[in-house]
Amino acid sequence: MRNELVEMFTEEKMTAVDAIIERHRDNPGELLMVLVEVQDITRYLPVELQRYIAWRMGIPASRVYGVASFYSYFSLAPRGRKVVKVCTGTACYVKRAGEIKERLKQRLGLSEGEVSADGEFSIEEVRCLGACGLAPVAVIGEETFGLINPDNVEEILEKASS
Amino acid sequence: MYVKLKINGIETTVPKGGTILAAAKAASVYIPTLCHDPRVAPTGACRLCVVEDRRRPGQLIPSCFTPARDGMDIVTDSPVVTAAIREQLKLILINHPLDCPVCDKAGECVLQELVIRYGIVEAPYTLEAPFRPVDRESPLIERDMTRCVLCGRCVRICAELQGKGELEFMRRGYGTYVDTDGSRALDCDFCGLCISACPVGALTDKLFKNTTRPWKLERRETACLHCGLDCRIYLNMEGEILRRVTAPPDKDGAEELLCVRGRFGWRAAAGAVRRPPGPWLRDARGRRDATWEEALDFASRRLAEIAGERGGGAVAVLTADLLTTEEAAVARGFFRTFLGSHDIASLQAAGYRRLMDQLDRMLPSPPPPASQEDLLAADVLLVLGGGAAEWHPVLKPLINRYRQGEGKELIVISSWPDYLFERATLPVAVAPGHLEGFMAELQAALEGREVASGLDASRRGIDVGRLARLVSLLQGQGEIAVLVVPDLYARGDARAALAASLHHRVQRILPLGGQFNSRGALSAGFASPRDFQDILADIEMGRIRSLYLIGEDPLEDFPDPQRVRAALSRLDLLICQAPYATTAAEAAHVFLPTVLPWEKEGSVLAVTGQRRHLRKVMTAPPGARGDGEILEELRRMMGDPPANLPGRVAAVGETGSSGSPAAPPPGSPAATAAGGRGFPEDRTSEANAVGAEAPSPAFPFLLVPVPSLFGDGLVSRQSPELAGLKGGLGVVMNNDDFAALNLKDRETVWVATPYGAAPARVRALARIRPGTALLLHAPGNPEGLSLLRSDVAAVPAAIGRKEAP
């Protein structure tokens, strides 16, 4: 089980994952923290990894999947190193968020759920980011870009890449 | 502490904390429910149980989880309430297909009932159908989540009662569905509690699927055959055809608990699997079918000859406790009194009989029966030995119910992480082979006696802090109940001795491992300190010349089948009287097909002490006869007791066995224990004898044979469904050992011991001790049995991809 995960990620990452599980394994209630910390390392939570966590923590794999699929924070599919999150909340949407998303996809050559060939980017839609005053808003990696428009997507991608 | 309130104008009371729904039930007022299951905690998901308080009109209260309060004036059928229920039903129907004509649940579907009751004739709302998984791959259980109403009963019953958590709510909001991780097929205990909980046709019984319609079924109550708890079951009969097994309702109206064997193992009795059509005889010319007259004539003649020549001690009997208590009395009369045989032993119930015998000798009075309620009432449940919930799987939900009580302690002392061990408040892990020694030392320490080595916890691999807590709990104020669990093959008596030594502190002692009517058989006088190990030695010595098998098969149920086969071939007479033609039937001189307990009338005594009279609920195969009937016929045909025949007295002297059946032969455990009640003074030598052989470089693992959830008994083994779930011989190892060998889940590996080698499917478990491996499903598997030796709790073993080293 672990061997397949080492192939999928790396020995180094799996060692870090094991350390996280070890820290929380006596408290099954800390599953949410485990998933957050593990996703920080692996960037996403494939079902094999969830089953591994469940097995090591001695909790049902179904429960892990239930938690991981409940929160949009967790991704079950691979993500890029930088996740482009385009807000499609009401304010952003009326300010052409749909078009912005299409442009970004075109520019990166991806559709939703895919990762760019260099593993750098993936695109997700998010609901309101709570920054409606800056609409339309996109988040790339950790950085937030407000008052953008379909024509300057290239600019913000460059900024985010630098 | 009662609460007084009115339901539809009827004055009623409920205990404080009781819900409005419970109060309505007490007042015999109907309230519709869908997500409510009295077996699990309420969630109030379906909103069909809403009621109104006349004092606050218009405010809807979900009655299933709202506690009743003094002075409430509840109305359940006001226009507001009825309109709300009707509206709610329409909302539920948005995502429920109206495929009732092809749904197995139709006729017993809660939603269908409610829709008809409330006259919903339209489905005014439509929404885009969300993703819902359909699983037709899992064994025994079909999941069609397009029919799911998200009541969560399956999720709750699986997690809360079965303690498995196999099903869970996935995603959220409108996209929520119930599933396993990644929509995989079920890999669980297959208890089917989820099926019993599902109010609609989302979870259904695959064996029942498309066979008939529920309204054609007649429910006949009887007892489950698969272990000694004798759970109440309903055989769902369509005419004389058994279609499925369900549990009868308990006092709250919910289905009682059942395990996989009870719910899905019924084809062992109904599929006519290996049920032979008539008796046969085998002589020098080979095997030939015989009439009952011929077969019984031959059997009675040979038995009389052997008992006449050699004495009754030359005849030994093995019974599997499928006999009713009345039949057991007949068997005892025939073999003990009439023939003068000393040995009525058992293979499948050997552990249980041994524990009962040991306790009987050690306790001042026989252990009082402990009912399920007694166990739930205890404050401290002490489980001596691993495998309690594997022997008797209904203990899983039962003990989970116990654990939900406040301040309940569950102490499990085991050398392997069985189901209860993993859920214990105080698990005490003892290295394999050290269990007997540890318990003897613990007993000595509790009694304030000195032990030579002291209670050297580290030597036994035990956490010292846990040990201190264990001692303080056992010496504390809480009421203690003890479950004593036998090993599959080892014969130590330390756990019985420990349980017996606590008897003044302990309310109940319940020995486990009993088969269908093991307790009834003992009550009929089957008790014997000698078991098959002793009988086998006597066969090899030529003292025992005839073996009479009643539903037992030593070739399938005892370690080292080669030795057993060689011993059986020395016998002058091997009679096999059984419902199935198993391996021993082929070697027998006479085979007599018998009926199963459902096919006869009589009483049974569960290991928990409940006596029940069972009616005949199924038609027996035409060629089969009742065990009692056969033995009575044999006795009639034999006429005078063989004891009256000339020559017997001399024969007794020759065989060296004593004339009185009650006195144990020298060298038996009873003889060393001085035969009296009270505690044996010194068991240290015996405790050490029941250890395990040490691992060596060639055999680095310790292999522990353990009981299987899917049933090790002869009856369970005939069920194609249970056999399928077992999937042959299995070995479970520590996950690090597993990773070090670079094995894959469920791959076939070779397990080798100094005695044999066999292929087995391997799985890994996190909490198992490194270097320990569990052997599953050895009973009934000659290759598996050849790996083992009787009277050892663990054998050294090698495990790997290559054939035996």
Side-chain angles (χ1 to χ4, degrees):
Chain A
M1 194 176 222
R2 192 177 184 279
N3 295 348
E4 288 96 80
L5 289 168
V6 168
E7 265 169 48
M8 204 184 277
F9 302 103
T10 57
E11 177 57 47
E12 192 192 343
K13 282 185 179 168
M14 284 311 294
T15 308
V17 167
D18 284 342
I20 293 165
I21 298 171
E22 199 53 47
R23 210 149 9 102
H24 297 282
R25 73 186 295 173
D26 293 330
N27 301 302
E30 293 172 11
L31 172 64
L32 194 59
M33 268 119 90
V34 172
L35 295 182
V36 168
E37 290 174 35
V38 170
Q39 183 170 278
D40 283 348
I41 291 170
T42 58
R43 296 213 302 269
Y44 75 111
L45 300 171
V47 65
E48 294 80 7
L49 182 58
Q50 293 181 33
R51 285 178 187 151
Y52 179 74
I53 293 169
W55 185 54
R56 291 292 303 267
M57 291 188 72
I59 55 179
S62 299
R63 188 171 306 155
V64 178
Y65 197 89
V67 172
S69 66
F70 183 88
Y71 294 97
S72 60
Y73 181 81
F74 298 117
S75 173
L76 308 189
R79 280 169 153 175
R81 271 182 285 278
K82 287 191 174 130
V83 181
V84 182
K85 292 174 183 161
V86 183
C87 178
T88 54
T90 314
C92 294
Y93 193 79
V94 299
K95 296 188 84 176
R96 302 165 72 191
E99 260 177 84
I100 294 171
K101 195 179 82 184
E102 285 314 308
R103 279 289 187 83
L104 280 164
K105 285 201 280 199
Q106 242 172 37
R107 179 65 195 80
L108 295 167
L110 317 162
S111 50
E112 271 176 82
E114 280 181 4
V115 184
S116 59
D118 59 1
E120 193 64 18
F121 292 108
S122 58
I123 293 190
E124 283 168 19
E125 224 178 69
V126 290
R127 298 300 168 196
C128 188
L129 284 166
C132 307
L134 294 175
V137 184
V139 179
I140 302 179
E142 303 278 300
E143 212 173 333
T144 307
F145 298 89
L147 299 170
I148 53 176
N149 64 59
D151 299 322
N152 66 2
V153 294
E154 219 147 297
E155 215 174 291
I156 63 168
L157 279 177
E158 259 164 46
K159 264 195 206 164
S161 303
S162 59
Chain B
M1 293 285 271
Y2 280 85
V3 174
K4 221 166 145 186
L5 69 162
K6 268 197 243 173
I7 310 270
N8 289 356
I10 305 165
E11 290 266 3
T12 187
T13 55
V14 277
K16 199 170 159 40
T19 60
I20 298 172
L21 183 64
K25 204 171 175 80
S28 301
V29 171
Y30 171 80
I31 292 179
T33 57
L34 187 64
C35 72
H36 180 69
D37 191 320
R39 297 172 290 183
V40 291
T43 54
C46 74
R47 300 281 147 172
L48 288 176
C49 67
V50 289
V51 294
E52 229 182 340
D53 190 339
R54 262 190 243 271
R55 300 173 307 173
R56 291 197 184 93
Q59 195 178 321
L60 294 170
I61 309 165
S63 63
C64 77
F65 72 104
T66 308
R69 280 190 294 271
D70 269 319
M72 273 183 160
D73 189 358
I74 297 295
V75 55
T76 68
D77 51 4
S78 69
V80 176
V81 169
T82 309
I85 293 170
R86 286 175 52 87
E87 188 64 15
Q88 189 58 28
L89 280 170
K90 287 178 197 169
L91 293 173
I92 289 170
L93 286 180
I94 293 174
N95 277 318
H96 188 82
L98 298 179
D99 62 347
C100 309
V102 295
C103 177
D104 261 351
K105 196 77 175 184
E108 50 184 1
C109 170
V110 180
L111 185 58
Q112 195 181 43
E113 289 290 319
L114 290 171
V115 164
I116 291 165
R117 185 175 192 121
Y118 286 89
I120 311 296
V121 291
E122 44 171 6
Y125 309 114
T126 49
L127 271 173
E128 194 188 333
F131 166 76
R132 292 290 177 82
V134 176
D135 163 25
R136 302 196 203 282
E137 305 305 311
S138 297
L140 303 175
I141 298 171
E142 183 161 294
R143 293 183 293 148
D144 184 344
M145 290 299 150
T146 57
R147 293 177 183 148
C148 175
V149 293
L150 297 173
C151 69
R153 281 166 74 166
C154 55
V155 173
R156 283 176 283 151
I157 206 155
C158 188
E160 277 178 39
L161 273 188
Q162 193 65 15
K164 203 71 195 165
E166 184 76 353
L167 294 170
E168 186 57 85
F169 287 112
M170 303 302 177
R171 301 200 199 165
R172 65 184 177 277
Y174 185 67
T176 305
Y177 56 88
V178 172
D179 202 358
T180 56
D181 45 293
S183 294
R184 62 168 169 79
L186 295 170
D187 176 20
C188 60
D189 293 346
F190 293 95
C191 62
L193 284 178
C194 55
I195 296 178
S196 80
C198 184
V200 294
L203 291 160
T204 48
D205 177 342
K206 269 190 164 173
L207 287 183
F208 181 62
K209 188 179 162 134
N210 296 343
T211 54
T212 184
R213 312 262 42 190
W215 53 83
K216 292 184 179 170
L217 296 171
E218 178 207 345
R219 289 175 175 81
R220 296 184 194 160
E221 189 183 324
T222 185
C224 176
L225 300 177
H226 291 281
C227 83
L229 285 180
D230 297 347
C231 295
R232 288 204 305 150
I233 52 169
Y234 277 155
L235 302 188
N236 289 223
M237 308 292 293
E238 183 184 13
E240 285 307 303
I241 306 169
L242 178 54
R243 292 299 192 188
R244 67 173 177 188
V245 168
T246 52
D250 64 10
K251 59 182 190 327
D252 293 322
E255 271 192 43
E256 282 186 350
L257 304 170
L258 268 192
C259 75
V260 56
R261 302 182 205 165
R263 197 181 306 274
F264 294 116
W266 53 267
R267 286 223 291 156
V273 197
R274 293 166 88 186
R275 298 288 298 271
W280 69 67
L281 290 170
R282 191 170 56 83
D283 52 29
R285 285 168 299 164
R287 194 189 115 172
R288 64 186 168 86
D289 290 340
T291 63
W292 272 99
E293 286 63 39
E294 278 178 279
L296 290 175
D297 178 59
F298 178 83
S300 62
R301 236 172 347 93
R302 292 293 291 130
L303 273 176
E305 280 166 24
I306 291 166
E309 278 168 27
R310 301 243 169 197
V315 179
V317 188
L318 295 178
T319 81
D321 298 343
L322 285 171
L323 306 181
T324 63
T325 310
E326 294 81 4
E327 287 175 328
V330 170
R332 187 195 181 280
F334 178 67
F335 291 110
R336 281 251 159 92
T337 317
F338 182 77
L339 281 183
S341 165
H342 314 306
D343 294 307
I344 303 183
S346 182
L347 292 170
Q348 297 165 64
Y352 179 74
R353 291 235 187 133
R354 197 154 46 233
L355 288 175
M356 288 294 274
D357 176 61
Q358 288 161 353
L359 285 170
D360 196 42
R361 281 186 287 116
M362 295 166 182
L363 284 170
S365 58
S371 69
Q372 301 190 355
E373 286 71 30
D374 292 331
L375 299 183
L376 293 176
D379 301 310
V380 178
L381 198 55
L382 173 64
V383 186
L384 303 178
E390 283 72 18
W391 280 108
H392 305 290
V394 163
L395 287 177
K396 291 187 178 185
L398 201 71
I399 302 292
N400 283 324
R401 221 170 240 177
Y402 166 82
R403 287 166 66 234
Q404 284 160 10
E406 229 166 278
K408 301 283 192 181
E409 295 283 353
L410 176 63
I411 309 172
V412 181
I413 307 180
S414 171
S415 53
W416 58 285
D418 70 335
Y419 181 90
L420 293 188
F421 183 88
E422 298 223 303
R423 285 153 183 84
T425 56
L426 180 62
V428 181
V430 185
H434 285 272
L435 199 62
E436 290 287 312
F438 169 71
M439 291 206 192
E441 288 171 8
L442 180 62
Q443 183 192 343
L446 287 169
E447 288 169 356
R449 282 193 280 123
E450 283 288 318
V451 212
S453 58
L455 194 50
D456 186 354
S458 61
R459 185 168 60 88
R460 306 275 186 208
I462 295 145
D463 184 293
V464 178
R466 292 207 169 155
L467 196 58
R469 204 163 147 244
L470 169 66
V471 171
S472 84
L473 278 174
L474 292 185
Q475 293 177 337
Q477 294 303 309
E479 283 201 8
I480 305 175
V482 186
L483 301 180
V484 197
V485 193
D487 280 336
L488 261 186
Y489 302 115
R491 304 202 295 172
D493 69 350
R495 52 197 93 170
L498 177 57
S501 77
L502 292 167
H503 75 91
H504 56 281
R505 275 283 299 115
V506 162
Q507 268 57 41
R508 303 286 168 178
I509 298 176
L510 180 61
L512 298 179
Q515 299 293 312
F516 177 63
N517 193 25
S518 287
R519 191 159 191 143
L522 285 178
S523 76
F526 276 17
S528 161
R530 277 162 55 90
D531 61 18
F532 185 63
Q533 177 107 323
D534 308 306
I535 294 172
L536 189 61
D538 278 2
I539 294 175
E540 286 165 343
M541 305 272 281
R543 286 200 197 114
I544 287 175
R545 310 297 310 172
S546 172
L547 189 60
Y548 201 119
L549 305 173
I550 304 180
E552 284 285 19
D553 189 339
L555 290 168
E556 291 191 6
D557 271 298
F558 200 72
D560 198 357
Q562 273 179 316
R563 178 184 168 200
V564 176
R565 189 173 282 279
L568 294 191
S569 69
R570 295 176 54 112
L571 289 168
D572 294 335
L573 179 64
L574 177 63
I575 300 178
C576 184
Q577 173 179 319
Y580 310 102
T582 58
T583 315
E586 300 305 321
H589 298 106
V590 189
F591 176 78
L592 306 169
T594 60
V595 303
L596 283 164
W598 294 345
E599 298 156 355
K600 59 192 176 190
E601 184 170 344
S603 40
V604 292
L605 187 58
V607 292
T608 47
Q610 278 91 349
R611 189 181 298 278
R612 295 234 303 279
H613 187 79
L614 301 181
R615 288 182 305 125
K616 179 179 169 182
V617 283
M618 277 182 58
T619 318
R625 290 195 182 178
D627 291 288
E629 198 188 320
I630 293 170
L631 297 177
E632 275 171 348
E633 183 65 13
L634 282 176
R635 180 174 183 157
R636 198 189 54 74
M637 290 170 99
M638 286 169 76
D640 288 330
N644 298 350
L645 296 173
R648 180 171 180 264
V649 175
V652 168
E654 271 168 30
T655 59
S657 50
S658 72
S660 155
S668 73
T672 52
R677 295 190 189 279
F679 312 128
E681 283 304 298
D682 178 18
R683 284 171 333 283
T684 40
S685 59
E686 273 185 47
N688 291 338
V690 190
E693 292 161 58
S696 64
F699 299 105
F701 291 98
L702 261 184
L703 190 66
V704 184
V706 297
S708 162
L709 166 69
F710 302 118
D712 292 314
L714 193 108
V715 175
S716 305
R717 296 203 303 264
Q718 310 308 314
S719 153
E721 284 69 35
L722 296 176
L725 290 173
K726 283 179 179 175
L729 201 62
V731 63
V732 185
M733 19 188 342
N734 169 273
N735 55 358
D736 292 330
D737 292 342
F738 180 83
L741 290 170
N742 203 10
L743 299 173
K744 286 200 171 58
D745 190 38
R746 284 177 226 234
E747 98 173 86
T748 301
V749 293
W750 275 93
V751 181
T753 69
Y755 317 111
R761 292 210 304 171
V762 68
R763 303 210 73 174
L765 194 67
R767 299 213 168 125
I768 195 166
R769 187 183 288 265
T772 300
L774 310 179
L775 183 70
L776 282 163
H777 315 143
N781 184 320
E783 275 182 315
L785 291 169
S786 71
L787 298 174
L788 303 170
R789 285 297 177 268
S790 69
D791 211 12
V792 281
V795 292
I799 297 168
R801 280 228 175 83
K802 289 200 188 86
E803 204 161 327

